[in-house]
Amino acid sequence: MKDQVVLTGDLRFLNLGELIQLIGSSGSTGVLHLLSKYVESPGEVYFKEGNPVDASNGMERGLKVLYSFFGWKEGEFSFSQEPLNVKPSIKKSRMQIILEGLRLLDDGEIEVKGAVGFEPSPDTADGKGGRLPVIKGPLIDYMDVVAEEDFSEGQTIVSQGRHGTWMWVVLEGTVNICKEAGEEKIPILKVGPGSFIGSMAAFSQQDEVRSATAIAADRVQLGVLDRPRLTHEYASLTSDFRNLILSMDRRLKQVTRQAAMGRVSPQPLKGVPTGKAPIIPKGGSSARLLSISAGNAFIVKSMKQGDLLLCKLEKSDFVGPVPFLNIGHEPESAAVFGTDNLQMKELNTEALAEEYARLSGTLRNMVDNCATFISATTSILYDLYKK
């Protein structure tokens, strides 16, 4: 395959975090080339199917090098689609990399390369001593947009606890996703064009209780999705794939609740069942994707502050790595423990991957977006419990 430059620009216009999201949304394989007059050697980030798998700067390689590029505030970039001949050394998800890179930059642990120093902008501050990058989704499939709605800055789009099944995709602007605790609205995520608002659990039931509040951060235009068509497509999926979608939705709700609790009282939870060996250890090489048929499983992150429970899984939930998604959980970043009565069956990952590839653009984008939200919220949760 001949190398093809498909994207060029200025780092002052698109920073590294935005570039990683943009390349990730296209699922491209190739090399992101970085040049700066403040750095002697050029930088390169290697992508496979939209995910950074290695980085280099001179003789140095790996994740630490990739993080250093977040400090390149001035320079030029180009992305070329080309086959890779590098050995993958980076296993973190895109959003884990972006959030950790921004945290290191905020904490002064990354050297800034450029004439202008870094100052966190007011619109990215979360009010709790951190920053919330704008999470952008894949390219929008307008075939499933049946109407458009406009919201002004500060206007509530959906309220936590209210009922509703409408689903939207962000066309323009940014939206704050918040959890409500009493009178306080706790910011969890900030989402931009291509991201979805609404729960995929709405496909399986006539009524859905909103689990979070969405507020327009600026002028926002939303596309109302063709829910009847998407519901019909969802109903045509195999039971294993439908359960996978619903399980992802439940994971997202749980880690979002944990992140909200972490902002109020950042202490590890008690009672995590870690007294025996994990079913899947953190960093293990298990490639099996399992479905729970009885009992409970617990996704646990071991930290210096104590064991942190990410989510509790039940019947029909999945356990293990999903080959076509990266949610930043087991086995790369967390371990799995189980109750004594836990029973699981192995899922056919090849069949699921084929079914995923056949999804319509909108439904596939929604699944990808949910995985990104899980990864991003989990990374924010880790950072909260470190403080």
Side-chain angles (χ1 to χ4, degrees):
M1 182 177 100
K2 186 177 180 180
D3 299 355
Q4 180 183 8
V5 176
V6 295
L7 180 67
T8 62
D10 193 312
L11 287 171
R12 288 176 296 183
F13 178 69
L14 282 176
N15 61 40
L16 181 62
E18 293 169 326
L19 286 170
I20 291 174
Q21 290 198 71
L22 183 60
I23 296 168
S25 69
S26 66
S28 298
T29 295
V31 183
L32 175 65
H33 305 271
L34 304 172
L35 290 173
S36 173
K37 64 181 180 180
Y38 299 97
V39 183
E40 182 177 350
S41 302
E44 293 185 335
V45 183
Y46 306 92
F47 288 81
K48 182 177 180 181
E49 297 176 354
N51 295 302
V53 295
D54 199 7
S56 66
N57 184 212
M59 299 298 293
E60 298 184 351
R61 304 185 75 94
L63 184 59
K64 186 176 180 180
V65 172
L66 177 53
Y67 285 144
S68 73
F69 295 152
F70 280 85
W72 292 29
K73 309 308 292 184
E74 294 186 27
E76 299 176 350
F77 67 82
S78 64
F79 180 75
S80 59
Q81 290 184 321
E82 56 186 89
L84 295 183
N85 58 0
V86 300
K87 182 178 180 180
S89 65
I90 298 173
K91 297 182 179 180
K92 289 182 177 289
S93 71
R94 293 192 297 270
M95 285 313 304
Q96 284 179 301
I97 292 169
I98 293 169
L99 289 165
E100 182 67 7
L102 290 175
R103 184 192 68 78
L104 293 170
L105 193 62
D106 283 344
D107 293 346
E109 297 181 41
I110 293 176
E111 183 180 358
V112 174
K113 306 288 188 179
V116 181
F118 172 75
E119 292 290 340
S121 58
D123 64 334
T124 57
D126 66 7
K128 299 285 182 179
R131 71 191 323 235
L132 297 177
V134 177
I135 299 176
K136 298 178 182 179
L139 297 177
I140 300 166
D141 187 347
Y142 284 88
M143 292 295 292
D144 282 315
V145 174
V146 295
E148 296 179 357
E149 295 184 353
D150 294 316
F151 295 84
S152 57
E153 181 178 351
Q155 188 174 357
T156 297
I157 298 168
V158 296
S159 296
Q160 180 178 318
R162 295 291 182 88
H163 293 255
T165 56
W166 282 36
M167 308 180 77
W168 300 265
V169 60
V170 181
L171 303 178
E172 295 180 14
T174 52
V175 177
N176 289 320
I177 306 299
C178 308
K179 288 290 287 185
E180 296 188 18
E183 297 297 320
E184 185 178 7
K185 290 182 173 63
I186 303 168
I188 302 297
L189 295 175
K190 183 185 287 286
V191 304
S195 288
F196 294 89
I197 299 174
S199 169
M200 290 190 294
F203 292 143
S204 66
Q205 53 197 55
Q206 295 298 316
D207 196 15
E208 171 70 8
V209 178
R210 304 292 189 185
S211 61
T213 293
I215 302 172
D218 47 33
R219 182 190 170 279
V220 171
Q221 184 177 66
L222 301 181
V224 180
L225 295 178
D226 187 350
R227 185 175 174 274
R229 194 207 69 75
L230 292 169
T231 301
H232 183 269
E233 181 181 3
Y234 170 85
S236 70
L237 301 174
T238 63
S239 60
D240 282 345
F241 206 98
R242 292 199 304 270
N243 286 336
L244 179 71
I245 288 176
L246 295 178
S247 185
M248 288 177 60
D249 192 86
R250 288 191 289 269
R251 282 203 192 209
L252 177 58
K253 289 174 181 176
Q254 289 194 53
V255 294
T256 300
R257 184 169 61 249
Q258 295 286 64
M261 291 174 61
R263 292 192 184 279
V264 175
S265 178
Q267 296 295 324
L269 298 181
K270 305 293 184 181
V272 177
T274 56
K276 54 184 179 179
I279 301 166
I280 301 177
K282 176 184 176 297
S285 58
S286 172
R288 294 200 306 162
L289 181 63
L290 307 168
S291 175
I292 298 175
S293 51
N296 296 106
F298 304 84
I299 311 301
V300 177
K301 172 73 170 180
S302 180
M303 305 178 70
K304 291 181 179 179
Q305 297 80 359
D307 291 326
L308 174 61
L309 177 64
L310 302 181
C311 54
K312 177 182 178 181
L313 306 179
E314 55 190 32
K315 185 176 181 180
S316 298
D317 281 327
F318 72 88
V319 173
V322 182
F324 46 87
L325 297 171
N326 191 332
I327 63 175
H329 282 194
E330 76 277 5
E332 295 90 352
S333 301
V336 180
F337 295 84
T339 55
D340 292 337
N341 64 334
L342 178 64
Q343 297 180 27
M344 298 184 290
K345 66 175 183 178
E346 187 168 358
L347 296 173
N348 185 334
T349 54
E350 290 186 4
L352 289 172
E354 291 175 0
E355 193 167 6
Y356 168 80
R358 294 194 300 269
L359 295 176
S360 67
T362 297
L363 190 53
R364 185 169 59 249
N365 288 349
M366 293 182 77
V367 173
D368 291 346
N369 199 220
C370 184
T372 299
F373 282 4
I374 293 171
S375 177
T377 307
T378 301
S379 295
I380 291 170
L381 177 58
Y382 291 165
D383 196 37
L384 286 168
Y385 278 86
K386 290 177 183 176
K387 298 179 179 179

